[in-house]
Amino acid sequence: MITRKEFLNNKPLVVAGPCSVSSRDQIIQIAKKVKRYGAHALRAQLWKPRTEPDSFQGVGARGIKWIKEIKEKIKIPIVMEMLDPTHVGKVEDVVDILWVGARNMQNFELLKRIGNDPRPVILKRGLVSTIREWMGAAKYVGLDKVIMCERGIRTGADSMRFTLDFNSALVVKHDYNLPVIIDPSHTAGRRDMVKYLTRAAIAVGADGIVVETHTNPEKELVDKNQTISTKSFKKLVSDINKVYKIIKSLN
Ligand code: PEP
Ligand code: MN
């Protein structure tokens, strides 16, 4: 099992992969590329929370064997969103880092189930959650294994999909001493802004990022407009390392 400490030894932590897993070939191709270009873990979402019931809901449990194959052959740690308490046990040998999405940040039965599991957890902030609510959720999943993820909140600003709240990321990190990563993809909602928000995330001292990446973004079934290509991802990792080096030299 990977502990949170081991996982965060990757400085800064880079998690990449598609918004959703759609086929074996798709996720294998992406896993190979993002690993080669510097990702420390793969986003491999089999279950997707969707606003509309007729939207693609994810491939579900039939994708577990593909992810197992990737874990064994490509050897990249797997991060996966749990939508339901029953998912947690189903992916025991496959998933290294559990993930709670924004819409489920206050799904308390899910949080309790995840809290009973030893694996580290990425906990996304709810769409309009306060620090107190986000911290409450963090206590349910376990303060010793949580990695907080700021993914933008809904505010009066409608310039992009959400508003990236750097202030909260800083408060969580400095006042509550929790690791925090940033999701530039969901806050931007558009791929051309991802690199700027990523550079800013590293500059404020975030512990890492999670970024939606695809070998062919136009083919992505969910969130394709904010998904960057694996080619852009390669450049992004180089930017991240450059910004990180400067920030480290200032501390
Ligand atoms: C996602 O990461 O694809 C996702 C659905 O994010 P969020 O839960 O932050 O909306
Ligand atoms: Mn997405």
Side-chain angles (χ1 to χ4, degrees):
M1 196 194 88
I2 305 174
T3 65
R4 179 177 73 178
K5 191 164 181 287
E6 285 160 356
F7 196 46
L8 291 170
N9 273 340
N10 298 299
K11 288 185 193 328
L13 178 69
V14 178
V15 179
C19 181
S20 67
V21 172
S22 55
S23 72
R24 175 182 171 274
D25 282 359
Q26 175 241 24
I27 195 65
I28 289 181
Q29 290 314 319
I30 297 171
K32 281 186 186 157
K33 282 268 167 76
V34 296
K35 181 173 179 192
R36 186 179 317 149
Y37 296 155
H40 305 113
L42 178 73
R43 305 176 32 118
Q45 316 296 24
L46 298 180
W47 294 282
K48 290 301 303 174
R50 303 307 306 280
T51 302
E52 303 290 340
D54 51 359
S55 302
F56 176 62
Q57 303 285 317
V59 295
R62 77 188 172 92
I64 293 175
K65 55 184 181 301
W66 310 332
I67 308 304
K68 208 169 191 166
E69 189 182 339
I70 288 172
K71 191 174 155 60
E72 283 159 12
K73 290 196 189 146
I74 304 177
K75 301 197 190 318
I76 181 166
I78 305 294
V79 171
M80 192 185 291
E81 177 166 0
M82 304 289 105
L83 281 196
D84 183 284
T86 62
H87 294 162
V88 181
K90 282 194 181 120
V91 295
E92 209 147 42
D93 319 321
V94 191
V95 171
D96 298 288
I97 317 290
L98 303 171
W99 163 305
V100 178
R103 286 151 194 85
N104 272 316
M105 194 207 80
Q106 288 193 313
N107 179 340
F108 298 110
E109 292 309 309
L110 177 65
L111 299 180
K112 283 180 204 166
R113 175 64 185 89
I114 288 179
N116 284 331
D117 190 284
R119 288 171 280 186
V121 185
I122 291 177
L123 176 65
K124 287 191 126 185
R125 184 181 183 187
L127 304 188
V128 289
S129 300
T130 61
I131 291 280
R132 183 176 155 260
E133 291 160 346
W134 196 11
M135 284 302 300
K139 288 177 199 157
Y140 274 97
V141 300
L143 292 176
D144 54 341
K145 57 192 172 80
V146 74
I147 298 169
M148 306 292 261
C149 178
E150 164 61 33
R151 45 81 73 211
I153 50 167
R154 195 164 276 164
T155 67
D158 61 354
S159 50
M160 293 189 206
R161 190 173 178 190
F162 294 97
T163 302
L164 190 46
D165 182 7
F166 286 114
N167 303 21
S168 289
L170 286 167
V171 166
V172 160
K173 190 166 173 61
H174 295 279
D175 292 353
Y176 295 93
N177 293 314
L178 289 178
V180 62
I181 61 173
I182 284 176
D183 173 348
S185 310
H186 287 84
T187 191
R190 44 188 278 197
R191 72 175 68 100
D192 61 335
M193 294 294 176
V194 166
K195 68 177 175 191
Y196 304 113
L197 294 171
T198 298
R199 292 172 188 170
I202 303 304
V204 298
D207 294 281
I209 62 150
V210 49
V211 61
E212 288 183 336
T213 311
H214 199 293
T215 43
N216 186 350
E218 287 308 319
K219 289 231 169 101
E220 172 56 50
L221 298 179
V222 187
D223 287 345
K224 72 173 179 187
N225 295 336
Q226 67 196 35
T227 299
I228 63 166
S229 65
T230 39
K231 193 166 162 235
S232 306
F233 174 71
K234 186 179 181 188
K235 168 75 167 58
L236 192 77
V237 172
S238 140
D239 289 358
I240 289 171
N241 291 330
K242 282 182 190 159
V243 177
Y244 183 67
K245 219 167 150 185
I246 295 170
I247 291 306
K248 232 173 85 179
S249 76
L250 301 176
N251 286 339

